[in-house]
């Protein structure tokens, strides 16, 4: 397990609300909370940028963090991330903001401290572009969506 540098920006984190942590030994993500001053209602189709109350610094170009929706909120209520997946680069040091989108057909009420999304740290491989005139043909080649006959 690696250490993640975190600055607590909202003093309620770790006092009123637990710090993000893995729920089980097999959990891939840790829940982030909506560090709101008051309840917020998202109408159908509406988006909002919510504070997480913390800043992170991965400090390793071989890592990135991604924000993913919580499956229960997305499936049951229609609350997903406004950009579908949030990407946090290894050199970013500002507050983690959570872009939320109500893709459902009913209003969604978000309470201060509510678990709102997951933070997952993933490996990253940076590449160098190698410009070529052609590729050695693979079995798939340029076969696109549905090319196997299975949709």
């Amino acid at each position: 397990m690696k250490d993640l540098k975190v600055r607590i920006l909202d003093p309620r984190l770790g006092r009123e609300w637990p710090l993000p942590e893995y729920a089980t030994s097999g959990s891939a993500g840790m829940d982030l909370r909506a560090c709101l001053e008051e309840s917020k209602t998202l109408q159908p189709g509406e988006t909002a940028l919510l504070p997480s109350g913390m800043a992170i610094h991965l400090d390793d170009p071989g890592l990135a963090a991604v924000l993913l929706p919580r499956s229960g909120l997305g499936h049951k209520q229609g609350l997903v991330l406004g950009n579908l997946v949030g990407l946090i680069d290894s050199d970013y040091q500002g507050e983690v903001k959570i872009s939320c989108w109500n893709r459902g057909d009913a209003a969604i009420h978000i309470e201060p401290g509510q678990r709102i999304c997951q933070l997952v740290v993933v490996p990253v491989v940076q590449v160098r572009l190698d410009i070529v005139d052609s590729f050695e043909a693979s079995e798939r080649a340029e076969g696109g969506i549905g090319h196997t006959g299975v949709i």
Side-chain angles (χ1 to χ4, degrees), residues 3 6 60:
D3 290 336
V6 177
D60 179 346

Side-chain angles (χ1 to χ4, degrees), residues 45-125:
E46 189 176 9
T47 61
L49 193 59
L50 308 181
S52 72
M54 57 186 254
I56 66 171
H57 182 205
L58 291 160
D59 197 24
D60 179 346
L63 297 174
V66 292
L67 300 181
L68 301 170
R70 293 191 65 232
S71 56
L73 291 175
H75 179 71
K76 295 175 184 171
Q77 296 183 36
L79 184 64
V80 296
L81 298 183
N83 50 347
L84 304 182
V85 174
L87 176 64
I88 302 168
D89 295 314
S90 67
D91 54 353
Y92 179 68
Q93 297 179 341
E95 182 173 15
V96 174
K97 299 280 187 153
I98 307 162
S99 175
C100 293
W101 170 38
N102 179 354
R103 67 165 176 80
D105 55 9
I108 296 173
H109 304 286
I110 302 170
E111 297 298 325
Q114 179 178 338
R115 294 179 301 146
I116 206 76
C117 75
Q118 299 179 73
L119 174 82
V120 178
V121 176
V122 297
V124 170
V125 177

